[in-house]
Amino acid sequence: MEEKLKIYEKTIKKKHSFNWTPNYKEEVRTSLSKTVFIPIAEKTFQKLGWDIVFKDENKIEAKRREKALGIEKWTEIITATYNFGNLEVKSESLGNEMWDNGRNSKRVKLFIHALKETENEHDRNALNELEQETEKKNNWDDYVIPETLPKPKESKKPSLLIPIVGGIISSLIFGFVIAEVSIHGIYFIGLFEFLVGLAIAFALKILIKSSNFTDFKKLHSLLIAMIIVTYLSNQYFQYEIILNQNNYDRIGFFEFMKIRFSEGLTIKTLNTGWIGLVISWLLQLGLTYAIAYLRLVSTITSYQLERIPTEVLDFSYYHLIKGKSEKEVRIELNNKGWTAVENQNEVFEAVQAIYGKIELGRIK
């Protein structure tokens, strides 16, 4: 953040917000046109050192990050929305706090002040020039259609079988490792679920690349199945390890689970009973799913983008911006050597992935 803005920030009177998700918003009038508002707001966010995560014709969003104890984290998401000369600025806390200590009001008031400063740095001629430049940029008027495009890579036929087989094997391995750690090591609730979520997502990443399969709905279902198999097999492996290592008389797995329920979950000296045990299992499933799900979305999006050269993606996006239908864009791709339907499908998946990547960055 620019030094003069840091100084101004210290003079702002805070307004505290108490809520499940604390937020603060203000509405002010602006003389900026809709077209020029976004680039001026962009420059403002850059001055403030906040990371832009989304923009369209009327709205722009940025996240503010803060470093504490060597760890960077998002603290607020700031949204500025233009509506017929009115500007609504909203700041919302990111995290689990229910009291923002006035931070959201400071972000809003600081942005409004910095926006006016940025606007005052441009006279009427400069604003007119910026408006023209923005319209040209939005319409891709400076884009030059290339004579040739990079040739498509040989596309492997997508196969769901590879992720299914690989997913089941990976889940059984993870289940065995968790069982070993639970019996012979120290199990940290939260940390292990986080690590298991990352491990499952990493396994899926390898399987997606080796199978060229990117159908999100089916991979999402596979993810859920992998989590269930991981934790069910964990219970079964614990059952086998305990019986084999202690020379106990063999009992059925369901009898073993009954004993586990009757014993319940003990945290230090507190026995929480079967209710605590069930809650701990639900937390395991929920935390693992949340981590693995976000990583899966990111993996699919990144893979869909990396399959397609930037020149081809720009070429297709340009024609879509100019109002051409999917059929017409396919014809344009065909004329440039992208004749295989599978390759063309991958191009359109990559275009969708651009929006997916943006939405991923906006997650609160």
Side-chain angles (χ1 to χ4, degrees):
M1 188 190 300
E2 291 184 358
E3 195 59 37
K4 61 181 179 179
L5 292 175
K6 288 181 182 180
I7 295 170
Y8 177 79
E9 185 179 27
K10 293 176 182 178
T11 67
I12 297 173
K13 291 184 179 179
K14 299 186 292 185
K15 292 189 177 181
H16 298 263
S17 175
F18 300 86
N19 208 325
W20 185 257
T21 304
N23 66 82
Y24 179 84
K25 63 182 177 182
E26 279 190 20
E27 189 170 301
V28 295
R29 290 288 297 172
T30 177
S31 59
L32 295 172
S33 67
K34 184 177 77 168
T35 304
V36 84
F37 163 68
I38 295 298
I40 291 292
E42 275 188 271
K43 292 181 179 182
T44 303
F45 279 133
Q46 288 165 4
K47 282 183 177 182
L48 294 166
W50 300 344
D51 301 324
I52 297 169
V53 295
F54 172 78
K55 62 179 179 177
D56 61 15
E57 291 182 349
N58 302 302
K59 181 190 293 185
I60 185 167
E61 294 177 0
K63 286 182 177 180
R64 178 186 176 275
R65 70 171 73 222
E66 190 175 83
K67 194 170 184 178
L69 301 174
I71 300 174
E72 280 193 336
K73 66 174 183 177
W74 303 115
T75 55
E76 293 90 25
I77 183 166
I78 299 89
T79 305
T81 307
Y82 184 94
N83 186 22
F84 299 105
N86 287 324
L87 173 62
E88 182 187 274
V89 183
K90 179 181 179 181
S91 176
E92 186 175 344
S93 296
L94 299 174
N96 300 318
E97 64 186 22
M98 297 185 69
W99 170 43
D100 68 354
N101 194 27
R103 286 188 294 271
N104 284 302
S105 64
K106 289 186 75 171
R107 310 299 171 232
V108 168
K109 294 176 184 297
L110 179 61
F111 175 80
I112 291 172
H113 171 81
L115 182 77
K116 289 178 180 177
E117 262 197 2
T118 308
E119 179 184 352
N120 292 335
E121 290 169 2
H122 297 72
D123 59 22
R124 180 48 53 191
N125 289 333
L127 287 174
N128 289 336
E129 287 178 11
L130 184 59
E131 186 167 2
Q132 292 171 10
E133 288 173 12
T134 303
E135 287 177 344
K136 286 177 67 177
K137 185 178 178 181
N138 292 342
N139 296 325
W140 285 53
D141 291 337
D142 292 332
Y143 179 75
V144 178
I145 298 176
E147 294 183 6
T148 59
L149 291 175
K151 293 181 180 180
K153 298 176 182 177
E154 187 176 345
S155 183
K156 185 193 300 183
K157 187 176 179 180
S159 170
L160 178 58
L161 183 61
I162 294 174
I164 289 176
V165 174
I168 292 173
I169 294 172
S170 300
S171 299
L172 292 173
I173 293 171
F174 298 148
F176 178 75
V177 172
I178 297 170
E180 281 284 350
V181 172
S182 298
I183 294 172
H184 299 122
I186 301 175
Y187 195 100
F188 294 96
I189 296 175
L191 174 62
F192 278 86
E193 285 73 22
F194 176 78
L195 294 175
V196 172
L198 290 181
I200 290 174
F202 182 73
L204 280 171
K205 180 179 181 178
I206 294 172
L207 294 169
I208 287 168
K209 290 190 174 184
S210 59
S211 65
N212 197 35
F213 190 83
T214 56
D215 187 314
F216 176 74
K217 287 185 178 179
K218 291 178 180 177
L219 288 171
H220 181 230
S221 298
L222 177 59
L223 169 66
I224 294 172
M226 285 178 69
I227 293 171
I228 293 172
V229 170
T230 295
Y231 286 113
L232 279 179
S233 65
N234 162 46
Q235 295 300 323
Y236 181 77
F237 286 129
Q238 285 191 48
Y239 156 74
E240 288 289 350
I241 293 169
I242 291 171
L243 291 186
N244 290 330
Q245 290 186 355
N246 295 281
N247 261 336
Y248 290 150
D249 292 335
R250 192 156 193 87
I251 60 173
F253 176 65
F254 289 106
E255 192 64 32
F256 170 77
M257 292 304 295
K258 283 182 182 179
I259 295 172
R260 289 217 63 180
F261 270 98
S262 65
E263 291 294 324
L265 175 67
T266 301
I267 302 175
K268 292 185 178 180
T269 58
L270 175 65
N271 191 318
T272 60
W274 68 268
I275 295 177
L277 186 63
V278 171
I279 291 173
S280 72
W281 286 346
L282 291 175
L283 285 173
Q284 276 188 333
L285 294 172
L287 287 171
T288 303
Y289 171 78
I291 298 298
Y293 174 81
L294 290 175
R295 297 300 300 171
L296 175 64
V297 173
S298 177
T299 294
I300 293 174
T301 300
S302 298
Y303 181 62
Q304 288 173 331
L305 287 170
E306 72 184 37
R307 285 188 302 189
I308 306 302
T310 304
E311 298 90 334
V312 178
L313 194 55
D314 287 346
F315 176 81
S316 305
Y317 195 73
Y318 167 78
H319 287 292
L320 290 169
I321 286 288
K322 291 301 182 182
K324 290 191 175 180
S325 65
E326 181 179 322
K327 184 178 179 181
E328 290 173 320
V329 176
R330 287 183 183 272
I331 292 172
E332 295 289 349
L333 286 168
N334 189 75
N335 293 338
K336 296 292 185 181
W338 285 65
T339 56
V341 174
E342 188 57 48
N343 290 134
Q344 293 177 4
N345 290 342
E346 289 177 357
V347 171
F348 285 100
E349 282 184 11
V351 171
Q352 288 299 318
I354 293 174
Y355 297 105
K357 193 171 184 179
I358 292 170
E359 289 304 313
L360 196 61
R362 296 176 71 191
I363 290 177
K364 298 176 182 179

